[in-house]
Amino acid sequence: DYLQKSGGTEQYRVLGNRIQNAVERYWAERYLDRGLEAIETAQDGISILNEDGHIEYANTACADILGYEREELLGQHWEAFYRNTDVSDVYDVLLPEARADRWTGETSFVRKDDTVIDVQHTLSYTDDGSLICTLSRPMTDDSAARDLSVKERSMDEAPVGIVLTDPHAEDNPIIYANDKFTELTGYDRTEVIGRNCRFLQGEGTDEDTVSELRSAIANREPVTAELRNYRADGSEFWNRVRIAPVFDADGDLDLFVGFQDDVTTRKAYEERLRSNTARLEALFDNSPDIIAIHDADGVIRDVNQRMCDELGYTETELIGQRVWDLDPTVDPAHARSFWADAKTNTPHRFEGALERSDGSTFPIEVHLIRLDLDGEDRFVAMDRDISEQKAREAELVTQNERLDRFTSVVSHDLRNPLQVAEGRLALLEEECDSEHVAAIDDALGRMNALIDDLLTLAQDGTEAMEVESISIADLVRTCWDTVATRNATLAVETDATVEADRDQLQQLFENLIRNAIEHGGNDVTVTVGATDNGFYVADDGSGIPESERDRVFESGYSTAADGTGFGLDIVSQVTDAHGWTVAVTNGSGGGARFDIDTTPDE
């Protein structure tokens, strides 16, 4: 350097700075030269890549590993040294991890001659964004110690517990245990080394399983077993143990390796499965229903004991028969078509019949479902004897026929002579004035009322209900006009509506109004109002004694001299048909009160 001489002291400070800079630059260049020399002579391959992934620098070792001259590497992109299938992993895994901290692992590189070489590979980024790449040559036979270390690290990372035991030492002690084993058992490695594996056993460990393991070890044979073991904290777990002998190159026993898995969850599931299976088998065998399992061809594959008892066959005699051999109502062609189209896990219900071994038959209701049973397509048929139901249905049909004949008699055979009697009475009343005429007229009127009520009871429920929203006030006033109310008074204290069948609700109101007038007198007041749960009909008559309230809805019951006894029975039937309830009490005016609760039965 050159410094011009001048007066004063300032030039000496400048001189000192320049000398200091020159010395620092000298040593920096020496350190840099030494660093470059170390990189150049390193056995590991070292390269520096710019932000775009192109090689800016590569040492001789890097060129040798990849099979290139060093000058050939400069400017090439790193993708040129990877197989096409590996490039995406570099972008997705290696580079992100290197940018976050550092990536180390094994990589397969493509050399210049298209051969592939596996190397230990490290990637890291500098502050200016450059990528530092180091490559280590593959291990040689003289690196057995390093190879063993890698294997040990691999066992430590294994997802199952691994132990190695020494069969040449007393009591076959553990000489190695991986991290998963300590995690599985809760013991530290220092607590495990030198002990026999039996320290995991406890009160609930099955001795027969332990004997099986000991026998295999003594015979130098591989063995797999599951047994209950105990962790360091005393908690139980199911351990799946696999033990295998390891022999050296001369065929002599070297050590035992043991693999251990926690299968507690699976064992619990298997136990639940066994329990559920046992319960299902018990239900199958002891079901009150007849159960048969058949395939898509109608061949019976299994039956329960109830079927054997009901039909008089043994299980062996039933299995192998076809469904139509036992059910005479089944058409084989139609049945096969139905089974072929039936959806899995979708129940079907229909009626059929079963034929006993003595030739007698009985009706059944069949519940059929298609299932996958242990990988086999099966149909489970649950049959219930409905002989009593069919008998009741037949009886009901007979009763309905009798009822039809009864209503015919009432409506035609009784009304015709009654109408003749009423006509004759009218003529008699014109010809003579007798005190008996009024009594006869009342009797004939009561007979007419009795016929009307009997027809109402006989026909109740034979037609479908048409439910609609009905104004209580409007319908009650309509009913008041159709009933002989004499001097009675109607008070309507509600504008509520109710969902009901109009014709049946009209019958209810007419009969309650008629009942109030018959028992309360000609000048009774009838009140209709709403409650929280429905409506009520009350009067201010004499009321109903508490001792009689349980009987008032019985058919034929009446305390009025001219009552038919069917009016309140009709009221009860109308409320039942709607799912309502009716109760009788005393009203506030002292008479009878009928409360109808219109909330649905539950």
Side-chain angles (χ1 to χ4, degrees):
D1 198 1
Y2 171 79
L3 181 64
Q4 186 175 359
K5 184 177 180 182
S6 64
T9 61
E10 179 63 21
Q11 62 179 333
Y12 298 115
R13 186 178 64 80
V14 175
L15 176 63
N17 288 338
R18 290 190 178 182
I19 293 173
Q20 183 175 355
N21 290 338
V23 171
E24 290 176 352
R25 185 167 58 253
Y26 168 79
W27 286 111
E29 289 175 352
R30 288 198 61 183
Y31 291 143
L32 180 59
D33 290 340
R34 291 177 181 177
L36 288 174
E37 183 179 1
I39 293 174
E40 286 291 336
T41 58
Q43 294 184 352
D44 291 341
I46 301 173
S47 60
I48 302 175
L49 289 71
N50 63 21
E51 292 181 349
D52 296 328
H54 294 89
I55 298 175
E56 294 184 330
Y57 168 82
N59 68 352
T60 302
C62 180
D64 291 341
I65 291 173
L66 297 177
Y68 288 84
E69 294 296 330
R70 187 157 61 167
E71 289 74 20
E72 294 177 312
L73 293 177
L74 299 181
Q76 291 208 50
H77 195 274
W78 60 261
E79 291 183 7
F81 309 106
Y82 283 90
R83 293 173 294 195
N84 292 335
T85 56
D86 296 337
V87 171
S88 59
D89 287 339
V90 178
Y91 278 115
D92 296 339
V93 180
L94 277 63
L95 294 181
E97 290 188 12
R99 194 175 297 279
D101 181 20
R102 182 184 182 188
W103 180 86
T104 298
E106 186 173 282
T107 299
S108 297
F109 281 95
V110 179
R111 291 164 55 85
K112 183 179 179 180
D113 59 3
D114 290 332
T115 60
V116 177
I117 184 172
D118 295 330
V119 299
Q120 290 297 313
H121 187 193
T122 300
L123 294 174
S124 61
Y125 278 93
T126 63
D127 292 338
D128 65 356
S130 297
L131 180 63
I132 308 299
C133 172
T134 63
L135 309 177
S136 300
R137 296 177 184 275
M139 292 184 299
T140 58
D141 293 340
D142 59 10
S143 58
R146 274 179 60 189
D147 185 46
L148 180 60
S149 177
V150 171
K151 292 180 180 178
E152 189 168 312
R153 288 200 307 271
S154 299
M155 288 193 294
D156 278 337
E157 295 297 327
V160 298
I162 301 176
V163 294
L164 302 178
T165 65
D166 184 1
H168 305 293
E170 184 179 356
D171 205 22
N172 194 19
I174 297 172
I175 58 175
Y176 166 81
N178 72 343
D179 294 339
K180 187 64 178 180
F181 180 83
T182 61
E183 177 186 335
L184 173 65
T185 64
Y187 288 95
D188 292 333
R189 187 176 278 105
T190 56
E191 298 177 288
V192 172
I193 302 300
R195 302 177 68 178
N196 186 280
C197 290
R198 75 172 68 92
F199 73 92
L200 296 175
Q201 300 170 16
E203 182 180 357
T205 305
D206 182 62
E207 287 297 329
D208 292 339
T209 306
V210 173
S211 298
E212 180 184 352
L213 292 173
R214 289 175 179 171
S215 176
I217 292 172
N219 295 326
R220 301 182 178 184
E221 297 172 345
V223 63
T224 299
E226 294 179 357
L227 70 165
R228 196 188 305 272
N229 278 169
Y230 295 83
R231 299 184 178 90
D233 60 5
S235 60
E236 297 181 358
F237 71 100
W238 277 96
N239 194 0
R240 184 169 184 259
V241 179
R242 288 164 290 174
I243 299 175
V246 178
F247 300 95
D248 60 20
D250 297 327
D252 296 326
L253 180 63
D254 190 9
L255 49 82
F256 281 100
V257 58
F259 301 93
Q260 316 209 15
D261 290 309
D262 185 350
V263 293
T264 305
T265 302
R266 197 205 73 207
K267 293 291 285 189
Y269 171 78
E270 290 176 351
E271 183 60 33
R272 289 196 301 271
L273 185 61
R274 281 193 296 270
S275 177
N276 290 338
T277 301
R279 286 198 293 268
L280 289 174
E281 290 177 350
L283 288 173
F284 179 80
D285 291 333
N286 301 301
S287 172
D289 291 330
I290 298 168
I291 302 178
I293 300 175
H294 65 82
D295 59 23
D297 292 324
V299 179
I300 296 175
R301 300 295 186 177
D302 198 3
V303 297
N304 69 344
Q305 186 59 42
R306 180 63 184 273
M307 187 170 191
C308 298
D309 295 340
E310 288 293 332
L311 300 187
Y313 291 103
T314 65
E315 180 179 339
T316 304
E317 291 172 330
L318 288 173
I319 293 177
Q321 293 199 53
R322 296 185 183 271
V323 171
W324 44 84
D325 295 332
L326 301 174
D327 187 345
T329 67
V330 174
D331 175 67
H334 179 269
R336 286 194 178 99
S337 176
F338 173 78
W339 295 330
D341 296 335
K343 295 181 179 179
T344 303
N345 298 324
T346 302
H348 302 274
R349 184 175 67 86
F350 47 87
E351 292 184 0
L354 285 177
E355 184 176 343
R356 299 183 179 93
S357 59
D358 61 6
S360 61
T361 61
F362 59 94
I364 57 172
E365 182 180 74
V366 183
H367 294 262
L368 184 72
I369 187 168
R370 186 176 195 168
L371 298 174
D372 183 338
L373 299 180
D374 296 329
E376 295 181 316
D377 185 24
R378 292 291 183 262
F379 293 84
V380 178
M382 291 168 283
D383 306 336
R384 181 164 297 179
D385 186 345
I386 55 172
S387 298
E388 293 184 3
Q389 176 183 327
K390 287 298 183 180
R392 287 195 300 270
E393 290 176 358
E395 182 181 353
L396 185 59
V397 170
T398 302
Q399 290 177 352
N400 287 336
E401 292 175 350
R402 288 199 299 266
L403 185 59
D404 289 340
R405 291 194 297 271
F406 168 75
T407 56
S408 177
V409 169
V410 170
S411 61
H412 298 288
D413 298 351
L414 290 183
R415 278 196 190 278
N416 288 338
L418 184 60
Q419 290 173 353
V420 172
E422 288 175 336
R424 295 287 184 174
L425 180 63
L427 295 175
L428 180 64
E429 190 175 11
E430 294 177 357
E431 295 179 359
C432 66
D433 184 13
S434 172
E435 62 180 6
H436 299 295
V437 171
I440 296 172
D441 186 50
D442 287 342
L444 293 176
R446 185 171 183 278
M447 291 175 66
N448 265 319
L450 183 61
I451 291 173
D452 289 340
D453 285 348
L454 286 173
L455 289 175
T456 298
L457 286 173
Q459 296 171 357
D460 184 42
T462 60
E463 297 181 358
M465 293 174 57
E466 296 182 3
V467 178
E468 58 182 303
S469 183
I470 301 171
S471 167
I472 293 177
D474 292 346
L475 186 59
V476 167
R477 292 190 179 98
T478 299
C479 295
W480 189 263
D481 293 337
T482 61
V483 176
T485 55
R486 300 166 189 167
N487 296 323
T489 303
L490 174 66
V492 180
E493 300 179 350
T494 177
D495 57 0
T497 60
V498 64
E499 299 295 321
D501 179 271
R502 179 176 294 274
D503 292 338
Q504 292 200 28
L505 187 59
Q506 184 169 343
Q507 290 179 17
L508 180 145
F509 281 126
E510 288 177 351
N511 279 280
L512 287 178
I513 292 170
R514 187 180 297 113
N515 182 78
I517 294 172
E518 288 177 353
H519 295 83
N522 293 338
D523 57 352
V524 70
T525 296
V526 179
T527 303
V528 179
T531 65
D532 292 339
N533 298 322
F535 60 89
Y536 69 89
V537 177
D539 63 65
D540 58 356
S542 58
I544 300 175
E546 186 173 355
S547 60
E548 301 293 324
R549 292 175 189 169
D550 292 338
R551 299 180 55 206
V552 295
F553 297 107
E554 295 178 1
S555 179
Y557 175 82
S558 178
T559 59
D562 57 350
T564 66
F566 294 110
L568 294 183
D569 188 15
I570 294 173
V571 171
S572 177
Q573 290 197 29
V574 171
T575 56
D576 288 344
H578 285 79
W580 302 343
T581 57
V582 58
V584 59
T585 59
N586 280 340
S588 58
R593 170 171 167 149
F594 294 86
D595 283 274
I596 291 84
D597 185 347
T598 61
T599 55
D601 292 339
E602 296 182 359

